[in-house]
Amino acid sequence: MSDLDRLSLHVPEPAVRPGGQPDFSTVKIPKAGSVPRPEVDVASEDIRDLAYSIIRVLNRDGEAVGPWAGLLSDDELLAGLKHMMTLRAFDARMVMAQRQGKTSFYMQHLGEEAVSCAFRKALTKGDMNFPTYRQAGLLIADEYPMVEMMNQIFSNESDPLRGRQLPIMYSSKEHGFFTISGNLATQYVQAVGWAMASAIKNDTKIAAAWIGDGSTAESDFHSALVFASTYKAPVILNIVNNQWAISTFQGIARGGSGTFAARGLGFGIPALRVDGNDYLAVYAVAKWAAERARRNLGPTLIEYVTYRVGAHSTSDDPSAYRPKTESEAWPLGDPVLRLKKHLILRGAWSEERHAQAEAEITDEVIQAQKQAEGHGTLHAGGKPSVRDIFEGVYAEMPPHIRRQRQKAGY
């Protein structure tokens, strides 16, 4: 019997550790405007290359170029810029509120604002998002009241969810924002199921699933792809690749697929990668995928290549697992500054107007915070009543609880 080589286990490791020099040389960035825009009815095997490239519209000079450009007017872009600025200002105030002990934790979107803000504008009323905890831009871009968002974060007496959900896990059927689940990846299966139900009912509404790069390692992610591809569900499968999970670099979840978008190819799902810090590119790709879904052409998988500038949450210290200067080295820039530069180049914006808008938006956020903080606590003494616990959970209060209430005299 011949001697055999001993086996060894491969454990992926990040290229750079804390204290090292940031290195994004593995992120291959094509020239803006160079990636083709296929017809919406294209077969997945015919656009295989798009799962390994990055669709970009804004070039380094701030110009919108290529076949994915030209879909938004200046007014629409200005609205998008203000939505991203609002989300950024909202984040800053809520992080400060958490540090002051006004809420238990918060998760900010710094560097990822374009992904959710631009995507929301590609949907129509009645479409449903199944988000994770870093897509508050879907609500901001749909003009959901900031005060309502803050009421939930503070769990005050005006909290629309009555304290039943954790901070930042918003819910609004009217605004197409399905209740966020703390169990990551479960929303992916739910989105596909909701989309299938819409098709079964011959409705016109589509769904959008959201997941982070780290959570694609969960089995629910793969189950969702099986059902979406088998039944051609009218769903957009979004993966926000912000380079880091809670404290684990993307290589752990990505495995040997090369890109997260490439995961869709094995299921026969058209898959694209897009510059997640390019508002115009995000909107164009989302609009393309939405049209596919509405025309009964099935699901599309989109990977947004972006970067989480801040910590995973207010409980996280990113300096423990990545270089402190890494965000400065990120090659795709800042989504707010890039759109600002584009609008100034077009003559639709200026540095002065931007500074004024920043001040106005900050004031709006502060006023909303004051209003939310002016509401009382949800439960006197910090304890919910029996009615608070069961209201909205049961169609009517269970008989044994009713008897207990009567016995207690209320």
Side-chain angles (χ1 to χ4, degrees):
M1 184 176 180
S2 61
D3 293 336
L4 299 176
D5 292 337
R6 290 184 178 274
L7 300 175
S8 62
L9 183 67
H10 170 67
V11 180
E13 293 187 7
V16 184
R17 296 287 187 179
Q21 186 67 30
D23 179 17
F24 288 107
S25 60
T26 57
V27 182
K28 305 301 181 184
I29 303 175
K31 184 179 179 181
S34 64
V35 179
R37 185 181 188 279
E39 297 296 326
V40 293
D41 59 354
V42 68
S44 63
E45 59 267 25
D46 293 335
I47 57 169
R48 185 179 183 278
D49 290 349
L50 271 62
Y52 296 93
S53 188
I54 299 178
I55 296 168
R56 301 176 59 226
V57 171
L58 293 175
N59 64 19
R60 300 296 182 188
D61 296 323
E63 301 167 316
V65 297
W68 295 89
L71 300 182
L72 291 167
S73 67
D74 286 348
D75 286 344
E76 289 171 324
L77 290 174
L78 285 168
L81 177 63
K82 290 180 180 178
H83 289 147
M84 290 196 292
M85 293 170 68
T86 300
L87 179 55
R88 185 164 292 187
F90 181 91
D91 267 354
R93 294 299 304 184
M94 292 300 97
V95 169
M96 187 183 301
Q98 190 279 333
R99 299 305 189 204
Q100 295 170 341
K102 296 175 181 177
T103 185
S104 57
F105 74 96
Y106 186 76
M107 306 179 90
Q108 64 181 146
H109 308 68
L110 189 60
E112 301 178 39
E113 294 90 349
V115 176
S116 54
C117 288
F119 184 90
R120 183 61 188 83
K121 306 312 290 185
L123 300 182
T124 60
K125 188 174 179 60
D127 295 337
M128 184 63 70
N129 284 281
F130 288 74
T132 63
Y133 35 66
R134 226 180 297 276
Q135 278 86 51
L138 296 170
L139 292 171
I140 295 288
D142 202 42
E143 308 299 336
Y144 186 80
M146 279 189 291
V147 174
E148 293 292 303
M149 296 173 70
M150 293 178 182
N151 286 340
Q152 190 196 318
I153 291 172
F154 297 141
S155 285
N156 59 29
E157 63 183 10
S158 297
D159 174 8
L161 301 184
R162 307 299 295 162
R164 297 191 185 95
Q165 191 50 295
L166 294 169
I168 63 88
M169 293 190 178
Y170 317 102
S171 176
S172 175
K173 182 178 180 180
E174 180 185 356
H175 290 269
F177 197 94
F178 202 87
T179 304
I180 296 176
S181 172
N183 298 313
L184 297 180
T186 59
Q187 71 279 359
Y188 232 64
V189 182
Q190 295 164 359
V192 174
W194 193 96
M196 290 170 61
S198 183
I200 290 169
K201 293 188 297 182
N202 302 126
D203 208 334
T204 59
K205 304 177 182 67
I206 66 173
W210 293 87
I211 200 168
D213 51 279
S215 300
T216 61
E218 299 285 349
S219 58
D220 283 343
F221 169 76
H222 302 277
S223 297
L225 265 60
V226 170
F227 277 85
S229 61
T230 300
Y231 296 102
K232 292 189 176 181
V235 62
I236 305 172
L237 303 165
N238 296 307
I239 303 173
V240 181
N241 176 9
N242 62 16
Q243 313 304 309
W244 291 92
I246 294 177
S247 59
T248 307
F249 89 115
Q250 60 164 272
I252 297 294
R254 189 183 66 236
S257 63
T259 70
F260 290 96
R263 294 280 182 82
L265 298 178
F267 294 90
I269 299 175
L272 308 87
R273 298 177 85 217
V274 61
D275 179 348
N277 290 18
D278 182 339
Y279 187 96
L280 286 79
V282 171
Y283 174 83
V285 171
K287 196 70 175 176
W288 187 88
E291 185 179 349
R292 277 186 57 84
R294 296 190 202 285
R295 287 176 52 179
N296 268 325
L297 295 170
T300 303
L301 189 147
I302 305 173
E303 176 189 344
Y304 302 89
V305 183
T306 183
Y307 185 80
R308 169 166 63 78
V309 176
H312 176 75
S313 74
T314 48
S315 302
D316 174 46
D317 177 12
S319 66
Y321 54 83
R322 70 186 190 190
K324 289 184 178 181
T325 58
E326 191 177 77
S327 63
E328 300 169 14
W330 176 243
L332 293 177
D334 181 309
V336 174
L337 297 181
R338 289 177 65 186
L339 184 53
K340 167 191 167 185
K341 182 177 182 178
H342 173 65
L343 286 166
I344 290 176
L345 186 67
R346 291 184 58 83
W349 200 233
S350 67
E351 292 287 357
E352 293 74 21
R353 292 169 71 184
H354 190 85
Q356 181 181 358
E358 280 185 323
E360 292 172 351
I361 289 169
T362 298
D363 184 63
E364 288 175 10
V365 175
I366 291 173
Q367 294 307 314
Q369 184 176 356
K370 288 180 178 179
Q371 184 177 341
E373 290 182 354
H375 295 164
T377 56
L378 182 57
H379 310 298
K383 295 182 179 180
S385 68
V386 175
R387 178 172 295 279
D388 286 330
I389 294 172
F390 289 98
E391 184 181 28
V393 177
Y394 295 94
E396 61 181 59
M397 191 169 291
H400 68 286
I401 297 297
R402 191 182 307 114
R403 288 193 296 271
Q404 290 176 17
R405 286 173 51 80
Q406 292 170 348
K407 187 176 180 180
Y410 62 91

